[in-house]
Amino acid sequence: LQPAIYAILRQSTGQGVSNYHHRSRTAAGDAQTQRCSTAAIAMVFYLVGLGLGDERDITVRGLEAVKKCDQVWLEAYTSVLCVGVERLEAFYGREVKVASREVVESGCDEMLERSKDGNVALLVVGDVLCATTHTDIALRAKKLDVKVEVIQNASVMGAVGKCGLQLYSYGQCVSLPFWTEQWRPTSWYEKIAFNRSGNLHTLCLLDIKVKEPDYAHLAETGRTRYLPPRFMTINQAVEQLLSAEAEHGQGVCGPDARAVGLARLGQADERIVAGTLAELRSVDFGAPLHCLVLCAPTLHDIEAEYVAQFAVAA
């Protein structure tokens, strides 16, 4: 019986060793699975484009991201949406905090730090990375080892295609700032001239002023007060273009230059009117936001036919 007993002992010992190794491999696998699971739920800083219309223009992917967030901010100084924050909150099911210029430019690091412990979203009107402000935020997040996810949407850069001027025939985009008595910049004039020399259209983005400090009141009282919001109209932009033409005189944006004014793109009451700058000067485009396209000197036949339906006379 002794050899048989020894065989049984050897077999049971081998099984024990085998079971031990199996349990070790299982434990290691569970640990690996747990590590992968933890990595999969890493906190995210979302940059979410809202589009141009109202709360419903957010993409399905963007809405899913917002619903996963512990904190949601709305960037409200590079552009504005046509509906109030309460509409966003009702539709998204989350509290939405308004991020002023100070919050975005100075307090954004605190927002990014919160992303290390929970998902945070910054909502941006239009598309996300059309403004350098948001590109800078994405870079700062990466420096803080914060995972960034960009969810894009429609922007004015593409929506201007509604006027019929072909998007691949646009040159450099320019921004027209509000002039003051002491400050009348015209650096954008040379860009328009450059575009025109290449037979290219120019998209002019018009200035907005939201939550601007009243510096005169601050100097007088020591207390901060904000000025009412201001949005440049197409009419004001035309006046500045004509003044710059009178100053520089290169025939870039004179009274006979053809242009298209676009107001409230992406909204139910959007308005598009085409004509010379002299004609657009007196057109009432209504509520903001406005933008203006200066046409290339020569239009393609299809462009000319499409734009004609928006002519002032029509």
Side-chain angles (χ1 to χ4, degrees):
L1 293 177
Q2 198 171 34
I5 292 171
Y6 286 154
I8 293 170
L9 288 174
R10 282 197 298 272
Q11 187 177 3
S12 63
T13 303
Q15 288 174 345
V17 170
S18 176
N19 287 337
Y20 171 77
H21 286 304
H22 174 71
R23 288 194 300 271
S24 298
R25 286 195 298 271
T26 302
D30 291 344
Q32 178 66 22
T33 301
Q34 186 175 3
R35 283 195 297 271
C36 290
S37 176
T38 302
I41 60 170
M43 300 300 111
V44 180
F45 179 71
Y46 292 98
L47 283 165
V48 181
L50 296 184
L52 299 171
D54 54 31
E55 72 278 9
R56 298 168 300 166
D57 279 12
I58 192 171
T59 64
V60 173
R61 184 168 157 228
L63 183 58
E64 289 174 347
V66 168
K67 288 184 177 294
K68 289 189 292 187
C69 286
D70 305 296
Q71 194 174 84
V72 180
W73 291 84
L74 171 65
E75 189 271 277
Y77 90 89
T78 59
S79 188
V80 294
L81 209 58
C82 69
V83 296
V85 172
E86 66 282 353
R87 289 264 297 269
L88 303 183
E89 292 179 329
F91 193 76
Y92 303 157
R94 288 289 183 276
E95 179 189 3
V96 178
K97 300 181 178 181
V98 176
S100 64
R101 183 170 189 164
E102 290 83 359
V103 171
V104 174
E105 293 185 345
S106 304
C108 139
D109 286 345
E110 180 182 349
M111 193 187 304
L112 295 175
E113 285 293 340
R114 291 290 299 271
S115 300
K116 294 182 178 180
D117 302 317
N119 295 319
V120 175
L122 179 62
L123 310 180
V124 177
V125 178
D127 192 26
V128 174
L129 298 180
C130 286
T132 54
T133 299
H134 311 127
T135 307
D136 178 64
I137 291 173
L139 291 173
R140 288 161 71 178
K142 290 184 180 297
K143 290 177 182 178
L144 292 171
D145 293 325
V146 172
K147 182 180 178 182
V148 178
E149 185 170 335
V150 173
I151 302 176
Q152 294 179 286
N153 209 319
S155 81
V156 66
M157 309 291 281
V160 292
K162 278 193 169 183
C163 74
L165 298 175
Q166 297 164 357
L167 291 178
Y168 49 74
S169 294
Y170 279 76
Q172 300 179 71
C173 176
V174 302
S175 296
L176 301 185
F178 277 114
W179 280 354
T180 66
E181 291 182 4
Q182 297 80 24
W183 190 62
R184 294 166 60 91
T186 59
S187 55
W188 39 264
Y189 184 92
E190 292 302 323
K191 291 185 178 181
I192 297 173
F194 179 84
N195 291 345
R196 189 174 178 83
S197 68
N199 200 45
L200 299 172
H201 314 304
T202 303
L203 171 60
C204 302
L205 300 178
L206 311 187
D207 200 3
I208 69 172
K209 299 289 187 186
V210 179
K211 206 173 181 182
E212 289 287 311
D214 184 341
Y215 293 109
H217 182 266
L218 179 63
E220 182 181 343
T221 66
R223 295 190 297 272
T224 300
R225 183 176 70 182
Y226 296 102
L227 296 168
R230 287 192 300 152
F231 307 94
M232 183 182 288
T233 65
I234 291 167
N235 317 93
Q236 291 171 316
V238 168
E239 293 293 345
Q240 292 192 181
L241 288 166
L242 296 176
S243 294
E245 180 58 45
E247 178 183 342
H248 295 279
Q250 297 181 32
V252 170
C253 49
D256 295 330
R258 289 183 295 178
V260 184
L262 306 100
R264 298 172 303 285
L265 276 173
Q267 300 176 30
D269 62 343
E270 69 180 12
R271 188 169 190 207
I272 303 174
V273 181
T276 65
L277 289 181
E279 290 172 331
L280 297 183
R281 193 176 196 170
S282 57
V283 174
D284 181 4
F285 284 89
L289 295 173
H290 295 183
C291 65
L292 179 71
V293 177
L294 289 168
C295 300
T298 304
L299 301 186
H300 187 279
D301 290 345
I302 294 178
E303 288 182 310
E305 182 181 352
Y306 201 95
V307 169
Q309 65 184 306
F310 303 116
V312 172

